[in-house]
Amino acid sequence: HVQLVESGGGSVQAGGSLKLSCAFTRSMSISGCMGWFRQGADKEREGVAAIEMDGTLHYGYSIEGRFAISRDSAANTLYLQMNNLEPGDTAMYYCAHDYEAYDSQAVVLGLSPQFAYWGQGTQVTVS
């Protein structure tokens, strides 16, 4: 049984920071690709950041150096540090995993197949 559980969302003012966490099933640390995605109201889902097993990572073009993805394999946790938040970052944020070794750049560009496993999401609201 594989599982991803996000936490850390909330409401912040523009310019503030949040750190999202995603607890994942241990087997997900062995192979594949993991990523953070978001979907705002009336918007399509977009790739925010993705990380491969070897640590290669890429970010969506709208992030502009404000976010950082990291993974603690010992703790089976994926993180997304979000700084200098803007109202446009308001969305439901999801972490996801696939056992296929997708290219992280392709993931954030929306060019990879949809990931197989998804968390329930955590809401981020920036005002």
Side-chain angles (χ1 to χ4, degrees):
H1 178 67
V2 296
Q3 191 174 12
L4 301 114
V5 180
E6 303 97 333
S7 61
S11 297
V12 296
Q13 292 187 339
S17 298
L18 282 173
K19 186 173 184 177
L20 305 184
S21 299
C22 174
F24 55 82
T25 304
R26 184 176 180 180
S27 64
M28 294 178 173
S29 67
I30 299 174
S31 65
C33 184
M34 298 197 74
W36 287 98
F37 299 79
R38 68 185 183 185
Q39 187 165 17
D42 301 322
K43 294 182 180 179
E44 293 187 358
R45 187 172 63 201
E46 65 172 325
V48 174
I51 184 167
E52 302 172 31
M53 282 299 113
D54 67 357
T56 301
L57 49 86
H58 283 90
Y59 297 94
Y61 73 95
S62 63
I63 302 309
E64 298 176 330
R66 299 179 294 120
F67 295 3
I69 186 173
S70 61
R71 181 182 59 225
D72 184 340
S73 295
N76 299 323
T77 305
L78 184 73
Y79 300 100
L80 184 68
Q81 176 67 50
M82 304 187 294
N83 299 322
N84 194 21
L85 284 160
E86 304 169 351
D89 296 317
T90 296
M92 184 71 79
Y93 284 72
Y94 301 90
C95 71
H97 174 270
D98 201 291
Y99 287 104
E100 292 294 329
Y102 295 136
D103 178 88
S104 54
Q105 187 173 30
V107 170
V108 297
L109 291 176
L111 300 177
S112 70
Q114 180 172 300
F115 280 25
Y117 302 99
W118 293 79
Q120 82 288 349
T122 186
Q123 178 68 37
V124 172
T125 302
V126 185
S127 59

